[in-house]
Amino acid sequence: MDKEFRVRELMLGVEGLALLRHAMDADEKFLKARIEEVRALTTGPGAALPDGGTAVGELDAAAGYASWAARYDSLPSSYIEVEEPVVHGLLDRGPVGTALDAACGTGRQTAALAARGYRTVGVDQSPEMLAHARRKVPDAEFRRGRLEDLPLDDGSVDLAVCSLAMTHLPDVSTGIAELARVLRPGGRIILSDLHPFVVSLQGQCVFVHDTDRLAFVRNHVHLPGRYLDAFHSAGLTVRECHEPTFNGRLAPGGYEEAIPDAARAAWDGIPLVIVWAAEKPAVNPREGAI
């Protein structure tokens, strides 16, 4: 069943979040401006925006990314802008070896890995995404497969990277266990994801599907404690956790551009993504040195 993308209610929510976060320390001019915008959205001439919304359909990951693939790389993203410097800084630490880009999409991280000299295998369930990735990184190897069932042998990679994909799984434990399975002892995992704050507050990333319909692929809230449990259960040691915050960019053409002061105040200081760096111990306590 289609849901509704309700622009007025979303804008009111952003205004409310800005007020909630800054009611005690903002100046009177800022607060009055928020109240005036709320009035304009609800009781102004023509109520600024009508009741009701636009139908938006929920797609599974395969169908969603098949539709999204053609325009995915052309869409500006504050999430990617704050994520990449952190992830690439971790990639730069090496040592260089065989790398997996799990849920590789159009090959964004595959390209970064190949540029650093990694022999890279990209895995994704979407043939459409893989087609873009192959064109982008022709020297990499690509395989079709799911994050929860990676088509790689045990202990076959030195580095496993997964970017902004675990949020689509109802539970991160299976995906993290698979990354650990294919990792060699002493190998590293670099995992980025949408921050649970953002998923809790904003929910879903809506995109245009079939040229004239709106759609989304479900994002799930995974709190940091759940990641830690999954890393521990998979026998991994967490080394770092980074939480880069909102950089001020509003989605071009999005509803927040109509209320930029409220939107920037609402998201100011909110972490957009969470980036984990973990290791698989080089010593198995049951077997001794590897």
Side-chain angles (χ1 to χ4, degrees), residues 190 192 237 268:
I190 299 172
S192 72
T237 301
D268 180 46

Side-chain angles (χ1 to χ4, degrees), residues 192-203:
S192 72
D193 212 353
L194 296 185
H195 200 283
F197 282 8
V198 167
V199 181
S200 295
L201 290 170
Q202 194 173 47

Side-chain angles (χ1 to χ4, degrees), residues 249-284:
R249 176 193 279 276
L250 302 177
Y255 64 89
E256 289 181 326
E257 284 197 327
I259 49 170
D261 292 341
R264 292 193 172 94
W267 301 116
D268 180 46
I270 294 289
L272 297 186
V273 300
I274 189 165
V275 182
W276 299 94
E279 294 178 359
K280 189 172 187 177
V283 175
N284 186 322

Side-chain angles (χ1 to χ4, degrees), residues 158-231:
D158 303 291
L159 172 66
V161 175
C162 183
S163 295
L164 308 180
M166 289 282 179
T167 187
H168 296 316
L169 300 182
D171 183 356
V172 297
S173 59
T174 303
I176 289 176
E178 272 294 277
L179 296 179
R181 178 185 66 79
V182 303
L183 195 66
R184 292 177 182 139
R188 298 188 300 151
I189 286 176
I190 299 172
L191 189 160
S192 72
D193 212 353
L194 296 185
H195 200 283
F197 282 8
V198 167
V199 181
S200 295
L201 290 170
Q202 194 173 47
Q204 310 308 320
C205 300
V206 175
F207 58 92
V208 177
H209 170 59
D210 287 342
T211 72
D212 61 353
R213 297 180 59 216
L214 296 180
F216 69 95
V217 178
R218 174 72 58 181
N219 294 323
H220 299 274
V221 175
H222 301 310
L223 297 177
R226 190 67 198 95
Y227 287 101
L228 289 171
D229 288 344
F231 285 127

Side-chain angles (χ1 to χ4, degrees), residues 5-129:
F5 186 71
R6 304 178 68 92
V7 174
R8 182 178 68 171
E9 284 77 2
L10 288 167
M11 293 174 73
L12 288 170
V14 170
E15 295 280 2
L17 181 58
L19 285 168
L20 180 67
R21 296 193 63 209
H22 299 284
M24 293 188 65
D25 56 13
D27 60 46
E28 195 67 21
K29 181 179 179 181
F30 173 87
L31 298 176
K32 286 183 177 179
R34 303 287 71 71
I35 297 301
E36 288 305 312
E37 285 181 347
V38 170
R39 287 196 180 109
L41 288 168
T42 54
T43 62
L49 291 168
D51 289 331
T54 302
V56 55
E58 181 174 351
L59 303 176
D60 62 24
Y65 280 96
S67 173
W68 211 351
R71 62 183 69 88
Y72 188 84
D73 286 339
S74 65
L75 301 174
S77 169
S78 56
Y79 300 99
I80 290 175
E81 288 173 0
V82 302
E83 180 242 28
E84 280 194 343
V86 178
V87 171
H88 290 181
L90 293 169
L91 295 182
D92 287 338
R93 297 182 190 178
V96 172
T98 300
L100 162 68
D101 185 6
C104 66
T106 59
R108 178 172 64 94
Q109 301 297 8
T110 316
L113 288 161
R116 288 161 173 79
Y118 286 91
R119 188 183 72 82
T120 308
V121 179
V123 174
D124 202 277
Q125 68 174 326
S126 167
E128 294 81 4
M129 285 286 193

